[in-house]
Amino acid sequence: MRLFSVKGLAMKERITPHLPASLKAAAEDFASKYGVSLNQFISMALAEKVGAHRASNFFAERSQDADAERAVRFLEGRPE
């Protein structure tokens, strides 16, 4: 199975997560509902979480040099 590639190299790591039984059961239910394996569901959920954190960090860094008053002036000059 190929999860993702970096410059043509297939990357795959094997891990053994230790999950509470209730969380594993919930993940199995969602995986079944979406028609994917538990492994695929966990991979997608982890990728979504990592992506959200990266986006949050990106915007937090970008906002350091933000000029709120300039942004408001820009937005006020736009038609609705």
Side-chain angles (χ1 to χ4, degrees), residues 6-68:
V6 176
K7 293 186 180 180
L9 298 175
M11 305 292 282
K12 180 179 172 183
E13 294 289 332
R14 187 174 295 266
I15 63 169
T16 305
H18 299 276
L19 304 173
S22 59
L23 180 58
K24 181 179 182 259
E28 288 172 332
D29 288 344
F30 275 106
S32 176
K33 182 185 210 179
Y34 291 112
V36 298
S37 70
L38 178 59
N39 186 58
Q40 287 173 307
F41 178 77
I42 291 173
S43 293
M44 290 186 306
L46 183 58
E48 183 178 326
K49 187 69 171 180
V50 168
H53 275 280
R54 285 182 176 164
S56 176
N57 290 341
F58 171 80
F59 287 112
E61 289 173 12
R62 291 285 307 238
S63 70
Q64 296 299 316
D65 298 324
D67 182 345

